[in-house]
Every structure is written in C-alpha cells, then in structure tokens.
Amino acid sequence: MLTTRPRGTADILPGQVEHWQYIEDMAVRVCREYGYREIRTPIFEHTELFVRGVGESTDIVEKEMYTFQDRGERSITLRPEGTASVVRAYLENKLYAGPQPVKAYYIGPMFRYDRPQAGRYRQFHQFGVEVFGAQQPAVDAEVMALAMDFYGRLGLNDLELHINSLGCPTCRIVVREKLQQFFKPVLGELCPNCQSRYARNPLRILDCKSTRCTELALEAPTTVDCLCPECRTHFEQVQQYMLDLGIPYVLDKQLVRGLDYYTHTAFEIMSPDIGAQSSVGGGGRYNGLIEACGGPPTPGIGFALGLERILLTLQKRGKLPNIQAGPVVFLVAVGDRAVRESFSLLARLRAAGVAADMDYQGRSLKAQMKYAGKLGVRYAVIIGEDELKRGSVMLRDMDAGGQREIPAGEVIGALKDN
Ligand code: AMP
C-alpha cells in the first residue's frame, strides 16, 4: 500500500505535466478573451450542498460521492463537480448584489467513486465555466461557443456538439406525464433502475444505457415536443445564434443530462475516438438551481469539460505539442575553480531569465556532456582550466553541433534571448 496509489487516481509526472499546463493555459486564455474570471472554491464542502445542488436522484449523489465525517462530526464530501460550489460561493459572498452577470471559470480535481476504466477515474480534472444572472439565449450560445473554441484551439475541430432543450418546470410537468403514459404499458420490461425512475424522474429513463431501455425509449415523447411557447422561442434563438456563429451542432432530442437541475438548453460534446467514455464535456442551463440552494431566483448556465479525456483525444490524434520544459543551458565545468565559476555564472544566468542548470554529481566532462544531451538543452557552456586562463568559455550549440569560444563576460548576452 505504501507505494501504490489509490485505484482511479494518477500521478502526473514531469514530462506529462507540461501537456496539462498547455491545456490549462489554453483554458485560461480563452476565458480571458470571453470575459470569464477564475474562481477557486474548496475541494470539500458540506455534504448537503451536493445533495441539494446536484440532486438526490442522480447517480453522483446516490452512489458516487466521497463522503466522510470529519473530526468535528460534520458530514463532508470531496467535490464531485464544480457548479454547486460556485453557486454556494456566489451566495455566501453575495456576488448577486454586484454587477450581473457573474462569469466565472474553474480548473481543478473532482472526485467520484465509480468503477475506473479508460477515461473514467476516481480523481479527475474539469475545466468549467458558469454564468449567473443572465437569461438571454445569446449567453447559451456564448457558453457553447467558448467550449468549442477551446477544443478548436487545441486542434480538435471535429468534435460533435449535441444540443437539446429540456424546457422549464412547466414543460417538465407535461413531458413527465407523457413519458409515464408512454412507458406504462412496458414498465415491466424496463431495467430495475428505470422502474424506480418511472415514478421519481421518468426523464432519466431516456438517459439509461441498458439496451432494452434504449430500444424502448426510441419512440418515446421528447422534451422538445413538449416545450411551451416561451421555451420554444428561447431554443430557436439559441440555435439561430449558433448558426450565426457558424458552429455546427446535432439536435439530439434524446439528450438528457445526468444532473437534476438542468432547464432549457442542455448540451454534450462527443469525441468519437476514445471508446465507451466518449463524452468530453457537457453542460446546460440550470435556472432553478440558485433558488434551490437558498438564493434569489437567478438564471444560470455552465459547462464542465473533462481534461483527462481531452488529453486522451489529443494523444490518440497525435495532436500534443512537443514541449521542451527543461533548462535551455547546461554548464559543464571541469576542475574545482571552474565549478565555482560556473556556480556563480549559473546564478547570473538565472537572474537574467535564462533557464540553466549544472552538474551536481561530480561527473567527468564526457558524462556531463552526455547528461546535457539527455536533458535536451539547446546550449552547453563548457568551462575548463584552459578557458579559465583565457577568461573565456566554450559555447556549444547542441542542436547544430558547432562550438565557439567567447569571452566569459559575453556569455549572458549571447544566451539571454533564448
Ligand atoms: P459531468 O460533470 O458528469 O457532466 O461530466 C462532465 C465531463 O467531465 C464529462 O464529459 C467527462 O469528460 C468528465 N468526467 C466526468 N466523470 C469523469 C470521470 N469519472 N473520469 C474522468 N472524466 C470524467
């Protein structure tokens, strides 16, 4: 156990972490351009927040939460998703009293106790955005556009955006009744899970992965068929904005997101080439959530994108950039005096903003050069007895292979712009 990490978790090692930073930097950049600002909330919250904010009849709350009693005997849960925490922070810090809308984003780990497999982990990472206090359909389009823009900039231009409208609570009553009427004659054929969903939340039957339920649901009434005039107009306008932006989408009437609080626009982004766990992100509007968490009636919309699955997709397609994250310069010193000189040159190089390193193992000249090669540095600066005598250093271009002797005083100037 001492040297084994818990199932469903990962170590992100040097060499891998650069790809994470690349993806995270892209998220930060896109959010900045769209006017979203970062919010950081705790990794754990009071359990009630997720029970209320994610919804009692969801898989997350029913079976996936990491919940424990802390030493003060409070029930605490490691966050399984980001939205509930951002809603809590919005309310607790009275952000609703400031200028609206509030546009926020987060990047960080989430925790769900699920059966691990490729693309599904117990600790995974999401990049998410939330917009609170804006009802206009243009915001729905902006949020989806932001997600697609982010993927596009990473080189993923052909992911499929599926969209649907779940309507408002009034539409929900109509669809609920129609679904119950529709499934009543085949109730016995549904899986046990869906039999209990039938009374509680029949919409979730459309989301079931079992073959028989999927078959039975094919002809079922859909939310889009039950929209009230207002919701219909909202959804038409969202689609018009998407057309205006030139963002292709698939109208997916069967799309029902796993969380209870979604209203109006719901969407999911699929990557065809990462196997069973093909959803790389999803989101939607949740106009009832903030009120359900004890706040003033406030519209909200957001998404969460899974970073592991984005990384998997980029890997599969060979779209990960080659990132040289190590030092640019390696100082190769031979002899005690040269080591001392190098150590002080190292500090001056770093102060000038040059990423530099040197040998601390007492290696021979040859072994130091070999090590510099392994590090992948662009330059080696070689200082031996002869160079010391002449007040010079040997600057070797590791890529081109050539080397030239330059005065020691010029080495920082020569390397500064690399
Ligand atoms: P959700 O919060 O369930 O809507 O998930 C949003 C996105 O997070 C999904 O599309 C996945 O990309 C990612 N995701 C959700 N659960 C996991 C998990 N257990 N492991 C890895 N990624 C996940």
Side-chain angles (χ1 to χ4, degrees), residues 29-44:
R29 197 147 95 210
V30 178
C31 282
R32 217 188 117 79
E33 287 166 17
Y34 280 72
Y36 290 65
R37 298 177 63 187
E38 187 178 1
I39 183 163
R40 297 188 186 190
T41 61
I43 299 275
F44 59 85

Side-chain angles (χ1 to χ4, degrees), residues 246-279:
I247 301 174
Y249 62 85
V250 179
L251 178 60
D252 183 348
K253 294 184 178 185
Q254 299 281 335
L255 173 67
V256 181
R257 304 257 312 137
L259 313 187
D260 277 354
Y261 50 64
Y262 282 106
T263 60
H264 302 84
T265 313
F267 60 96
E268 193 131 4
I269 301 120
M270 314 287 190
S271 169
D273 44 9
I274 54 169
Q277 305 299 314
S278 63
S279 161

Side-chain angles (χ1 to χ4, degrees), residues 55-348:
E56 244 159 328
S57 73
T58 58
D59 284 351
I60 293 182
V61 170
E62 280 180 348
K63 47 186 196 225
E64 296 173 3
M65 293 208 300
Y66 274 92
T67 297
F68 58 95
Q69 292 278 115
D70 73 3
R71 288 173 187 273
E73 292 185 4
R74 282 168 289 255
S75 178
I76 295 291
T77 295
L78 300 185
R79 65 179 185 194
E81 56 100 56
T83 305
S85 301
V86 182
V87 167
R88 200 244 335 111
Y90 177 79
L91 296 177
E92 186 165 355
N93 299 287
K94 301 193 173 51
L95 300 186
Y96 51 81
Q100 303 297 301
V102 168
K103 308 206 306 188
Y105 74 91
Y106 58 84
I107 302 171
M110 306 293 161
F111 306 85
R112 293 185 197 171
Y113 192 85
D114 202 347
R115 198 171 46 78
Q117 53 173 280
R120 202 201 290 145
Y121 313 99
R122 290 183 174 165
Q123 174 173 336
F124 60 99
H125 298 76
Q126 286 184 337
F127 154 44
V129 310
E130 315 290 351
V131 184
F132 297 156
Q135 169 61 43
Q136 288 76 3
V139 178
D140 305 38
E142 175 180 283
V143 164
M144 291 190 276
L146 196 166
M148 299 315 280
D149 199 354
F150 166 69
Y151 291 124
R153 289 192 210 195
L154 293 172
L156 303 175
N157 296 298
D158 58 344
L159 300 181
E160 254 181 38
L161 171 65
H162 289 226
I163 73 176
N164 192 16
S165 174
L166 305 179
C168 63
T170 318
C171 313
R172 201 65 71 84
I173 295 170
V174 178
V175 80
R176 191 188 162 95
E177 235 163 63
K178 285 199 175 175
L179 283 170
Q180 282 172 336
Q181 266 170 22
F182 176 85
F183 284 114
K184 197 169 184 180
V186 290
L187 189 55
E189 292 180 54
L190 294 173
C191 74
N193 228 338
C194 283
Q195 292 193 14
S196 88
R197 285 170 176 156
Y198 172 84
R200 283 187 304 155
N201 190 353
L203 200 56
R204 296 285 311 281
I205 300 173
L206 305 182
D207 204 19
C208 183
K209 302 281 174 280
S210 97
T211 346
R212 187 64 187 136
C213 295
T214 314
E215 264 170 32
L216 289 169
L218 275 179
E219 300 293 320
T222 65
T223 49
V224 173
D225 302 325
C226 305
L227 295 181
C228 68
E230 225 174 284
C231 290
R232 187 178 308 278
T233 307
H234 183 98
F235 194 41
E236 280 165 7
Q237 288 177 349
V238 171
Q239 293 182 71
Q240 187 58 53
Y241 279 121
M242 296 304 279
L243 284 174
D244 292 349
L245 289 172
I247 301 174
Y249 62 85
V250 179
L251 178 60
D252 183 348
K253 294 184 178 185
Q254 299 281 335
L255 173 67
V256 181
R257 304 257 312 137
L259 313 187
D260 277 354
Y261 50 64
Y262 282 106
T263 60
H264 302 84
T265 313
F267 60 96
E268 193 131 4
I269 301 120
M270 314 287 190
S271 169
D273 44 9
I274 54 169
Q277 305 299 314
S278 63
S279 161
V280 289
R285 202 166 253 295
Y286 42 79
N287 285 352
L289 175 65
I290 295 174
E291 206 177 351
C293 291
T298 311
I301 179 165
F303 66 62
L305 316 181
L307 299 189
E308 281 81 0
R309 292 189 196 170
I310 293 172
L311 205 72
L312 273 175
T313 308
L314 289 169
Q315 240 157 18
K316 280 254 158 76
R317 299 188 183 185
K319 287 251 159 89
L320 281 171
N322 224 332
I323 302 168
Q324 197 353 63
V328 176
V329 179
F330 193 78
L331 305 186
V332 176
V334 190
D336 290 347
R337 248 185 77 210
V339 167
R340 257 184 78 194
E341 281 295 322
S342 291
F343 196 64
S344 95
L345 175 60
L346 183 64
R348 282 180 281 128

